[in-house]
Amino acid sequence: MTKDITKVTPYNSDATKKSQVEDMFDNIAPKYDLLNHVLSMKIDVLWRNKLVKWMKNDNPQEVLDVATGTGDLAITIEKGTGSKVIGLDLSQQMLNVGVIKIKKLKLDGKISMQKGDAENLPFEDNRFDAVSVAFGVRNFENLTKGLAELRRVVKDNKSVYILEFSKVEGFLGPFYMFYFKNILPAIGRLVSKDNRAYTYLPDSVNAFPFGEKMKQILLDTGFKKVEYKKLSLGIATIYKATK
């Protein structure tokens, strides 16, 4: 039986999922980029490029990148579309790493970073030409509320782009799940010194709806059209939800 994604938390404490997620990312922020690229063998770079290539067709001028973390997707969006980007994240420590990265790239005039909650976005309705989230909606405390907020702040006839882990299907599925549930958490614990963060990752992916289920959730949230593309045999999926 699949667990309710809202009940899957990093630390299994009495704190809310939101505060646990914030603590987790604050804890692993210094090693996050290193671990991300090592554990994904840099395939995550290709995934972000695919999202931005799809987004570029919309010719966005201003983009909101929610759950921006250290800003990897925000940077890819700016480079790929030339748009102004606001990166928003719960974790101040992740944002701090991102700010340094953006300054080094001399993109601080094009990308701004701010602390904020995806489920209570501090922006007016219909503001952005596109909204993106990479590997973040899985961490929402209330998925429906978070998706409704993404829809609220994007302009009519414009789209929200979500890049999220899904599940490898077919004969490679068991091999990938073994890596995901055993090897990946062991490396994550060793490098980040956080015993739970990289166990939470496969737990949250297993509980998260993907493919047609995620498409239906987005349609139920009020988007008029939802398309999706599976990446790398289904390890991840990009969803394009149009308002």
Side-chain angles (χ1 to χ4, degrees), residues 16-23 90 117 119-120 139 141:
T16 63
K17 177 173 181 175
K18 197 173 293 183
S19 64
Q20 289 185 56
V21 166
E22 182 178 357
D23 287 346
L90 262 183
D117 178 2
E119 293 167 42
N120 295 284
N139 300 321
E141 188 168 81

Side-chain angles (χ1 to χ4, degrees), residues 30 76 141 148 155 182:
T76 309
E141 188 168 81
K155 291 176 180 173
N182 298 283

Side-chain angles (χ1 to χ4, degrees), residues 52-227:
V52 172
K53 191 176 178 184
W54 205 0
M55 181 189 286
K56 193 176 180 182
N57 295 330
D58 294 349
N59 191 29
Q61 303 303 303
E62 187 179 35
V63 178
L64 173 65
D65 183 42
V66 174
T68 195
T70 62
D72 276 351
L73 181 56
I75 291 164
T76 309
I77 290 168
E78 194 285 324
K79 287 183 173 179
T81 67
S83 58
K84 285 206 162 193
V85 185
I86 297 174
L88 179 135
D89 202 275
L90 262 183
S91 166
Q92 187 60 54
Q93 296 305 317
M94 293 283 276
L95 290 167
N96 292 346
V97 174
V99 166
I100 293 166
K101 214 157 57 173
I102 288 161
K103 280 185 177 169
K104 277 185 183 172
L105 293 167
K106 297 185 168 52
L107 292 174
D108 37 325
K110 295 282 284 182
I111 302 172
S112 60
M113 302 284 263
Q114 70 182 75
K115 190 174 182 343
D117 178 2
E119 293 167 42
N120 295 284
L121 293 172
F123 306 107
E124 65 271 23
D125 297 358
N126 307 305
R127 169 163 171 181
F128 296 98
D129 301 304
V131 175
S132 61
V133 191
F135 310 114
V137 293
R138 202 179 66 255
N139 300 321
F140 289 177
E141 188 168 81
N142 183 323
L143 178 61
T144 306
K145 188 177 179 190
L147 294 176
E149 275 291 271
L150 304 181
R151 182 183 176 279
R152 179 182 68 77
V153 299
V154 77
K155 291 176 180 173
D156 286 339
N157 300 310
K158 297 295 185 180
S159 301
V160 172
Y161 292 83
I162 296 168
L163 171 58
E164 191 51 86
F165 286 113
S166 40
K167 289 180 190 168
V168 178
E169 296 174 303
F171 75 97
L172 285 174
F175 298 101
Y176 180 71
M177 281 315 297
F178 180 81
Y179 167 77
F180 209 47
K181 286 187 77 73
N182 298 283
I183 312 293
L184 182 148
I187 298 170
R189 279 195 294 273
L190 194 67
V191 178
S192 73
K193 310 299 184 197
D194 188 307
N195 286 330
R196 180 65 189 143
Y198 289 87
T199 307
Y200 165 73
L201 175 60
D203 288 351
S204 62
V205 170
N206 273 331
F208 194 75
F210 66 97
E212 287 296 309
K213 283 186 180 176
M214 184 61 175
K215 177 179 178 177
Q216 191 57 54
I217 290 168
L218 287 161
L219 290 169
D220 291 345
T221 305
F223 290 99
K224 68 179 181 183
K225 183 182 179 187
V226 179
E227 306 160 78

